[in-house]
Amino acid sequence: MSASSRHVVITGFMGAGKTTVARALARKIFCAVIDLDDLIRERTGRTPQEIIDEDGEHAFREHEGEALRATLETSEPCVIALGGGAWIIESNRALVNKHEAFTVWLDAPFELCWRRVTGANIQRPFARDREKAILLYDKRREFYAQATLRVEVSEGKDPETVAAEIVCMLSEVAIKMNENLRN
Ligand code: S3P
């Protein structure tokens, strides 16, 4: 499979900037962008928050897995912004890897994520308690680290810069893939 025919999947903790960076990246590489949480909202008529609060996390993860599968299977190569917990589920990682997508971890410090999630006007069920959120952040890092690429996100670094870094990394990977194909 050539580099340009692959999806690019963006992962990272809540508040890492997945949606914004995914949009900026899609503009730069001229493809569509799909935000998994938005897609779940379209498919179910409810927000992830509502689903988690009303039906529980397990039900939400099922919707999430289905939305991811549908996107990977049916859409043209695009940029997919995951919700912060999607990449933690083994079957989702397996699905993404089966489709040979490029995976990118936006590695942002906890304090930055926390400031963003508490400052946002949407309520996140897994960001209601700071101590619990720190535990979740620490627990999830080993899974995020399984993404193929890691990009550091910091306070002063804007989404356009992060997206530009990803473009550079993706072209390096694509060049290596082409070299391997030739040899
Ligand atoms: C979740 C993150 C949320 C959303 C849901 C669960 C998580 O997405 O999918 O509330 O488990 O971390 P964002 O990472 O976009 O906030």
Side-chain angles (χ1 to χ4, degrees):
M1 199 191 269
S2 77
S4 59
S5 57
R6 292 168 193 245
H7 295 289
V8 182
V9 170
I10 310 288
T11 186
F13 200 65
M14 294 171 276
K18 299 181 290 294
T19 304
T20 324
V21 169
R23 285 188 190 137
L25 177 63
R27 274 195 305 272
K28 288 186 195 301
I29 60 173
F30 306 104
C31 68
V33 58
I34 292 179
D35 182 276
L36 208 62
D37 284 345
D38 286 347
L39 183 61
I40 295 166
R41 208 170 294 134
E42 275 167 33
R43 288 165 64 106
T44 64
R46 289 187 294 166
T47 65
Q49 291 67 34
E50 284 165 348
I51 301 171
I52 294 167
D53 286 340
E54 290 162 13
D55 301 348
E57 181 177 356
H58 181 75
F60 172 70
R61 297 297 172 206
E62 304 241 302
H63 289 295
E64 186 175 55
E66 273 315 302
L68 179 62
R69 179 182 302 280
T71 305
L72 289 167
E73 283 175 1
T74 62
S75 72
E76 293 288 306
C78 65
V79 180
I80 305 169
L82 300 182
W87 184 246
I88 310 308
I89 310 290
E90 193 181 354
S91 54
N92 290 342
R93 292 198 302 276
L95 196 63
V96 168
N97 291 331
K98 186 181 131 201
H99 284 267
E100 301 184 345
F102 293 117
T103 49
V104 185
W105 169 26
L106 299 190
D107 187 6
F110 177 79
E111 288 307 331
L112 177 58
C113 294
W114 184 249
R115 216 169 317 125
R116 286 178 179 168
V117 295
T118 49
N121 53 8
I122 63 157
Q123 259 240 359
R124 280 144 162 122
F126 301 117
R128 289 184 176 133
D129 176 293
R130 187 188 150 86
E131 293 315 307
K132 281 190 190 153
I134 292 177
L135 289 178
L136 196 61
Y137 177 91
D138 288 340
K139 200 167 130 197
R140 285 180 171 180
R141 288 184 68 78
E142 66 170 295
F143 298 101
Y144 295 137
Q146 293 175 33
T148 12
L149 302 172
R150 170 183 166 272
V151 183
E152 248 175 63
V153 173
S154 57
E155 186 74 65
K157 204 167 165 187
D158 64 43
E160 290 296 327
T161 309
V162 177
E165 266 181 42
I166 298 173
V167 174
C168 287
M169 288 174 162
L170 289 175
S171 16
E172 280 168 22
V173 176
I175 289 167
K176 281 198 191 117
M177 280 172 58
N178 286 340
E179 279 170 2
N180 290 343
L181 280 178
R182 270 202 305 270
N183 296 332

PDB file of all heavy atoms in Angstrom, residues 128-143:
ATOM      1  N   ARG A 128     -13.588  15.057  35.186  1.00  0.00           N
ATOM      2  CA  ARG A 128     -14.364  15.780  36.206  1.00  0.00           C
ATOM      3  C   ARG A 128     -13.582  15.906  37.504  1.00  0.00           C
ATOM      4  O   ARG A 128     -13.912  16.701  38.364  1.00  0.00           O
ATOM      5  CB  ARG A 128     -15.691  15.059  36.463  1.00  0.00           C
ATOM      6  CG  ARG A 128     -16.639  15.210  35.299  1.00  0.00           C
ATOM      7  CD  ARG A 128     -17.987  14.588  35.546  1.00  0.00           C
ATOM      8  NE  ARG A 128     -18.857  14.876  34.408  1.00  0.00           N
ATOM      9  CZ  ARG A 128     -19.604  13.972  33.803  1.00  0.00           C
ATOM     10  NH1 ARG A 128     -19.592  12.718  34.219  1.00  0.00           N
ATOM     11  NH2 ARG A 128     -20.355  14.308  32.790  1.00  0.00           N
ATOM     12  N   ASP A 129     -12.553  15.048  37.621  1.00  0.00           N
ATOM     13  CA  ASP A 129     -11.779  15.033  38.852  1.00  0.00           C
ATOM     14  C   ASP A 129     -10.298  15.047  38.467  1.00  0.00           C
ATOM     15  O   ASP A 129      -9.838  14.166  37.736  1.00  0.00           O
ATOM     16  CB  ASP A 129     -12.148  13.762  39.631  1.00  0.00           C
ATOM     17  CG  ASP A 129     -11.331  13.590  40.890  1.00  0.00           C
ATOM     18  OD1 ASP A 129     -10.101  13.374  40.793  1.00  0.00           O
ATOM     19  OD2 ASP A 129     -11.929  13.670  41.972  1.00  0.00           O
ATOM     20  N   ARG A 130      -9.585  16.046  38.943  1.00  0.00           N
ATOM     21  CA  ARG A 130      -8.193  16.238  38.538  1.00  0.00           C
ATOM     22  C   ARG A 130      -7.306  15.038  38.872  1.00  0.00           C
ATOM     23  O   ARG A 130      -6.537  14.570  38.051  1.00  0.00           O
ATOM     24  CB  ARG A 130      -7.666  17.507  39.221  1.00  0.00           C
ATOM     25  CG  ARG A 130      -6.320  17.925  38.777  1.00  0.00           C
ATOM     26  CD  ARG A 130      -5.805  19.075  39.636  1.00  0.00           C
ATOM     27  NE  ARG A 130      -4.365  18.999  39.688  1.00  0.00           N
ATOM     28  CZ  ARG A 130      -3.553  19.532  38.789  1.00  0.00           C
ATOM     29  NH1 ARG A 130      -4.052  20.222  37.793  1.00  0.00           N
ATOM     30  NH2 ARG A 130      -2.258  19.390  38.892  1.00  0.00           N
ATOM     31  N   GLU A 131      -7.451  14.510  40.106  1.00  0.00           N
ATOM     32  CA  GLU A 131      -6.585  13.394  40.519  1.00  0.00           C
ATOM     33  C   GLU A 131      -6.835  12.158  39.651  1.00  0.00           C
ATOM     34  O   GLU A 131      -5.914  11.467  39.236  1.00  0.00           O
ATOM     35  CB  GLU A 131      -6.787  13.059  42.010  1.00  0.00           C
ATOM     36  CG  GLU A 131      -6.300  14.163  42.965  1.00  0.00           C
ATOM     37  CD  GLU A 131      -4.930  14.722  42.580  1.00  0.00           C
ATOM     38  OE1 GLU A 131      -3.994  13.923  42.414  1.00  0.00           O
ATOM     39  OE2 GLU A 131      -4.803  15.962  42.407  1.00  0.00           O
ATOM     40  N   LYS A 132      -8.124  11.896  39.386  1.00  0.00           N
ATOM     41  CA  LYS A 132      -8.463  10.730  38.541  1.00  0.00           C
ATOM     42  C   LYS A 132      -7.927  10.945  37.120  1.00  0.00           C
ATOM     43  O   LYS A 132      -7.470  10.009  36.466  1.00  0.00           O
ATOM     44  CB  LYS A 132      -9.974  10.532  38.488  1.00  0.00           C
ATOM     45  CG  LYS A 132     -10.517   9.863  39.727  1.00  0.00           C
ATOM     46  CD  LYS A 132     -11.965   9.487  39.511  1.00  0.00           C
ATOM     47  CE  LYS A 132     -12.556   9.040  40.842  1.00  0.00           C
ATOM     48  NZ  LYS A 132     -13.990   9.260  40.921  1.00  0.00           N
ATOM     49  N   ALA A 133      -8.000  12.176  36.651  1.00  0.00           N
ATOM     50  CA  ALA A 133      -7.524  12.467  35.290  1.00  0.00           C
ATOM     51  C   ALA A 133      -6.002  12.273  35.199  1.00  0.00           C
ATOM     52  O   ALA A 133      -5.503  11.769  34.198  1.00  0.00           O
ATOM     53  CB  ALA A 133      -7.913  13.884  34.875  1.00  0.00           C
ATOM     54  N   ILE A 134      -5.277  12.626  36.267  1.00  0.00           N
ATOM     55  CA  ILE A 134      -3.813  12.422  36.262  1.00  0.00           C
ATOM     56  C   ILE A 134      -3.510  10.918  36.173  1.00  0.00           C
ATOM     57  O   ILE A 134      -2.655  10.484  35.404  1.00  0.00           O
ATOM     58  CB  ILE A 134      -3.147  13.011  37.533  1.00  0.00           C
ATOM     59  CG1 ILE A 134      -3.250  14.531  37.518  1.00  0.00           C
ATOM     60  CG2 ILE A 134      -1.676  12.583  37.650  1.00  0.00           C
ATOM     61  CD1 ILE A 134      -2.694  15.222  38.747  1.00  0.00           C
ATOM     62  N   LEU A 135      -4.255  10.132  36.950  1.00  0.00           N
ATOM     63  CA  LEU A 135      -4.041   8.673  36.930  1.00  0.00           C
ATOM     64  C   LEU A 135      -4.294   8.119  35.531  1.00  0.00           C
ATOM     65  O   LEU A 135      -3.543   7.291  35.019  1.00  0.00           O
ATOM     66  CB  LEU A 135      -4.957   7.974  37.936  1.00  0.00           C
ATOM     67  CG  LEU A 135      -4.614   8.185  39.421  1.00  0.00           C
ATOM     68  CD1 LEU A 135      -5.630   7.479  40.302  1.00  0.00           C
ATOM     69  CD2 LEU A 135      -3.202   7.665  39.716  1.00  0.00           C
ATOM     70  N   LEU A 136      -5.376   8.601  34.928  1.00  0.00           N
ATOM     71  CA  LEU A 136      -5.738   8.141  33.577  1.00  0.00           C
ATOM     72  C   LEU A 136      -4.656   8.538  32.572  1.00  0.00           C
ATOM     73  O   LEU A 136      -4.250   7.734  31.714  1.00  0.00           O
ATOM     74  CB  LEU A 136      -7.079   8.784  33.196  1.00  0.00           C
ATOM     75  CG  LEU A 136      -7.839   8.191  32.026  1.00  0.00           C
ATOM     76  CD1 LEU A 136      -8.200   6.739  32.306  1.00  0.00           C
ATOM     77  CD2 LEU A 136      -9.116   8.996  31.752  1.00  0.00           C
ATOM     78  N   TYR A 137      -4.181   9.759  32.704  1.00  0.00           N
ATOM     79  CA  TYR A 137      -3.123  10.268  31.812  1.00  0.00           C
ATOM     80  C   TYR A 137      -1.889   9.369  31.912  1.00  0.00           C
ATOM     81  O   TYR A 137      -1.342   8.939  30.901  1.00  0.00           O
ATOM     82  CB  TYR A 137      -2.787  11.702  32.241  1.00  0.00           C
ATOM     83  CG  TYR A 137      -1.666  12.371  31.476  1.00  0.00           C
ATOM     84  CD1 TYR A 137      -1.931  13.121  30.333  1.00  0.00           C
ATOM     85  CD2 TYR A 137      -0.337  12.269  31.914  1.00  0.00           C
ATOM     86  CE1 TYR A 137      -0.902  13.751  29.635  1.00  0.00           C
ATOM     87  CE2 TYR A 137       0.685  12.892  31.218  1.00  0.00           C
ATOM     88  CZ  TYR A 137       0.401  13.627  30.081  1.00  0.00           C
ATOM     89  OH  TYR A 137       1.415  14.243  29.394  1.00  0.00           O
ATOM     90  N   ASP A 138      -1.468   9.064  33.150  1.00  0.00           N
ATOM     91  CA  ASP A 138      -0.269   8.234  33.349  1.00  0.00           C
ATOM     92  C   ASP A 138      -0.481   6.823  32.804  1.00  0.00           C
ATOM     93  O   ASP A 138       0.395   6.240  32.179  1.00  0.00           O
ATOM     94  CB  ASP A 138       0.097   8.159  34.842  1.00  0.00           C
ATOM     95  CG  ASP A 138       0.658   9.489  35.326  1.00  0.00           C
ATOM     96  OD1 ASP A 138       1.096  10.288  34.484  1.00  0.00           O
ATOM     97  OD2 ASP A 138       0.627   9.738  36.551  1.00  0.00           O
ATOM     98  N   LYS A 139      -1.670   6.294  33.054  1.00  0.00           N
ATOM     99  CA  LYS A 139      -1.974   4.925  32.632  1.00  0.00           C
ATOM    100  C   LYS A 139      -2.005   4.792  31.103  1.00  0.00           C
ATOM    101  O   LYS A 139      -1.624   3.779  30.543  1.00  0.00           O
ATOM    102  CB  LYS A 139      -3.351   4.567  33.206  1.00  0.00           C
ATOM    103  CG  LYS A 139      -3.648   3.093  33.299  1.00  0.00           C
ATOM    104  CD  LYS A 139      -4.869   2.880  34.155  1.00  0.00           C
ATOM    105  CE  LYS A 139      -5.831   1.977  33.435  1.00  0.00           C
ATOM    106  NZ  LYS A 139      -7.176   2.015  33.957  1.00  0.00           N
ATOM    107  N   ARG A 140      -2.451   5.853  30.452  1.00  0.00           N
ATOM    108  CA  ARG A 140      -2.633   5.772  28.995  1.00  0.00           C
ATOM    109  C   ARG A 140      -1.370   5.993  28.185  1.00  0.00           C
ATOM    110  O   ARG A 140      -1.320   5.646  27.006  1.00  0.00           O
ATOM    111  CB  ARG A 140      -3.699   6.787  28.556  1.00  0.00           C
ATOM    112  CG  ARG A 140      -5.103   6.343  28.912  1.00  0.00           C
ATOM    113  CD  ARG A 140      -6.092   7.371  28.462  1.00  0.00           C
ATOM    114  NE  ARG A 140      -7.467   6.895  28.601  1.00  0.00           N
ATOM    115  CZ  ARG A 140      -8.516   7.609  28.270  1.00  0.00           C
ATOM    116  NH1 ARG A 140      -8.354   8.816  27.790  1.00  0.00           N
ATOM    117  NH2 ARG A 140      -9.724   7.109  28.417  1.00  0.00           N
ATOM    118  N   ARG A 141      -0.355   6.581  28.795  1.00  0.00           N
ATOM    119  CA  ARG A 141       0.835   6.966  28.002  1.00  0.00           C
ATOM    120  C   ARG A 141       1.476   5.780  27.272  1.00  0.00           C
ATOM    121  O   ARG A 141       1.896   5.890  26.136  1.00  0.00           O
ATOM    122  CB  ARG A 141       1.870   7.671  28.880  1.00  0.00           C
ATOM    123  CG  ARG A 141       1.428   9.061  29.274  1.00  0.00           C
ATOM    124  CD  ARG A 141       2.500   9.777  30.063  1.00  0.00           C
ATOM    125  NE  ARG A 141       3.678  10.103  29.282  1.00  0.00           N
ATOM    126  CZ  ARG A 141       3.774  11.115  28.428  1.00  0.00           C
ATOM    127  NH1 ARG A 141       2.741  11.918  28.231  1.00  0.00           N
ATOM    128  NH2 ARG A 141       4.891  11.346  27.764  1.00  0.00           N
ATOM    129  N   GLU A 142       1.519   4.641  27.952  1.00  0.00           N
ATOM    130  CA  GLU A 142       2.178   3.486  27.306  1.00  0.00           C
ATOM    131  C   GLU A 142       1.427   3.050  26.042  1.00  0.00           C
ATOM    132  O   GLU A 142       2.020   2.493  25.119  1.00  0.00           O
ATOM    133  CB  GLU A 142       2.314   2.306  28.277  1.00  0.00           C
ATOM    134  CG  GLU A 142       0.995   1.713  28.693  1.00  0.00           C
ATOM    135  CD  GLU A 142       1.162   0.404  29.459  1.00  0.00           C
ATOM    136  OE1 GLU A 142       1.644  -0.567  28.849  1.00  0.00           O
ATOM    137  OE2 GLU A 142       0.791   0.370  30.647  1.00  0.00           O
ATOM    138  N   PHE A 143       0.130   3.320  26.010  1.00  0.00           N
ATOM    139  CA  PHE A 143      -0.642   2.957  24.806  1.00  0.00           C
ATOM    140  C   PHE A 143      -0.437   3.999  23.708  1.00  0.00           C
ATOM    141  O   PHE A 143      -0.222   3.663  22.548  1.00  0.00           O
ATOM    142  CB  PHE A 143      -2.126   2.802  25.149  1.00  0.00           C
ATOM    143  CG  PHE A 143      -2.364   1.712  26.148  1.00  0.00           C
ATOM    144  CD1 PHE A 143      -2.584   1.993  27.476  1.00  0.00           C
ATOM    145  CD2 PHE A 143      -2.294   0.384  25.750  1.00  0.00           C
ATOM    146  CE1 PHE A 143      -2.757   0.978  28.412  1.00  0.00           C
ATOM    147  CE2 PHE A 143      -2.467  -0.640  26.656  1.00  0.00           C
ATOM    148  CZ  PHE A 143      -2.696  -0.342  27.999  1.00  0.00           C
TER     149      PHE A 143
END
